[in-house]
Amino acid sequence: MSDKQFLIPGLAAIALAILFPFYWIYGVGVVDFELSGKGIANGLQALDFVFLVLGALTAYFYVSVRRALHEHYHYSSLDVVFACMIGLVVLFHVSTFALDAMAANVGSDLASEIIVVITLLCMFAFGVLDIVIGVMLLRSANDRPEILRVFAIANLIMGVLEVTILLSVGVIVVFPLVLVIMAMYFMRSPEVVEFV
């Protein structure tokens, strides 16, 4: 593996770590628990395209984590879980974007209700998958670097927050931390960076 092979995934993780809380706090106003379809009546807005970029970056992040585990450790036990996570990310972002785009035809109230249902279902599914990722990585943690154990524990925490739905707002803090941890992992040499 070359030192620069995971530079782009590392930079993408950092970009996502910045964009993710910005979108959910300032763009959607999740801090005010405003999940009622802000701006849906007006059709697509710039934030809807930011949401698509978030989805693309998130899918790319999970593809990169999967690839790094394969290339560094020949670890393939999580392939199905990562495939499910990537599929769920794409489904969530594309369906929400499509509903926003169709809001003028369907009616903004109906679109808002469908988006809330999709969000809650996907949040729960994301939580289950994050817990599985965390548990499986911790099970085989003895032959992995410390940074992957930290990633696994952060995924467990994030999964529990997502599964509870009510505490899922905490993901606004935990997911960027997960991204920064993995950016450090991606951007280091294979034999460097260990937590002490």
Side-chain angles (χ1 to χ4, degrees):
M1 173 184 108
S2 72
D3 292 333
K4 304 292 182 200
Q5 184 177 4
F6 286 97
L7 179 64
I8 292 174
L11 294 174
I14 290 170
L16 185 56
I18 294 166
L19 197 57
F20 184 83
F22 171 79
Y23 174 82
W24 287 108
I25 293 172
Y26 298 109
V28 177
V30 108
V31 171
D32 298 327
F33 298 100
E34 231 179 89
L35 283 175
S36 58
K38 198 179 209 179
I40 281 183
N42 300 329
L44 291 178
Q45 298 178 354
L47 280 176
D48 295 316
F49 293 99
V50 172
F51 186 70
L52 271 185
V53 170
L54 278 175
L57 285 172
T58 304
Y60 181 67
F61 168 74
Y62 284 111
V63 167
S64 299
V65 171
R66 184 184 151 279
R67 189 179 71 166
L69 289 172
H70 270 267
E71 291 185 18
H72 295 168
Y73 309 105
H74 306 291
Y75 188 75
S76 60
S77 298
L78 285 170
D79 282 357
V80 172
V81 179
F82 280 125
C84 289
M85 181 66 88
I86 293 161
L88 188 60
V89 165
V90 170
L91 175 70
F92 173 60
H93 287 83
V94 169
S95 63
T96 302
F97 182 83
L99 281 168
D100 279 349
M102 296 182 333
N105 298 331
V106 175
S108 62
D109 288 340
L110 178 60
S112 293
E113 291 172 13
I114 293 172
I115 288 173
V116 169
V117 169
I118 288 172
T119 300
L120 294 175
L121 291 174
C122 286
M123 185 65 63
F124 183 80
F126 286 138
V128 170
L129 292 172
D130 281 329
I131 289 170
V132 170
I133 290 169
V135 167
M136 290 188 71
L137 282 175
L138 283 175
R139 270 190 14 204
S140 61
N142 294 337
D143 57 341
R144 309 278 183 265
E146 189 67 29
I147 197 166
L148 285 179
R149 282 187 218 127
V150 173
F151 170 69
I153 292 167
N155 259 317
L156 275 173
I157 293 168
M158 191 167 60
V160 169
L161 292 173
E162 289 166 330
V163 165
T164 62
I165 305 290
L166 292 175
L167 298 176
S168 64
V169 174
V171 172
I172 293 171
V173 174
V174 178
F175 188 53
L177 291 175
V178 166
L179 293 165
V180 169
I181 289 166
M182 288 310 290
M184 289 172 29
Y185 176 75
F186 288 144
M187 296 168 82
R188 65 153 175 85
S189 298
E191 46 296 320
V192 188
V193 174
E194 285 290 320
F195 282 89
V196 189

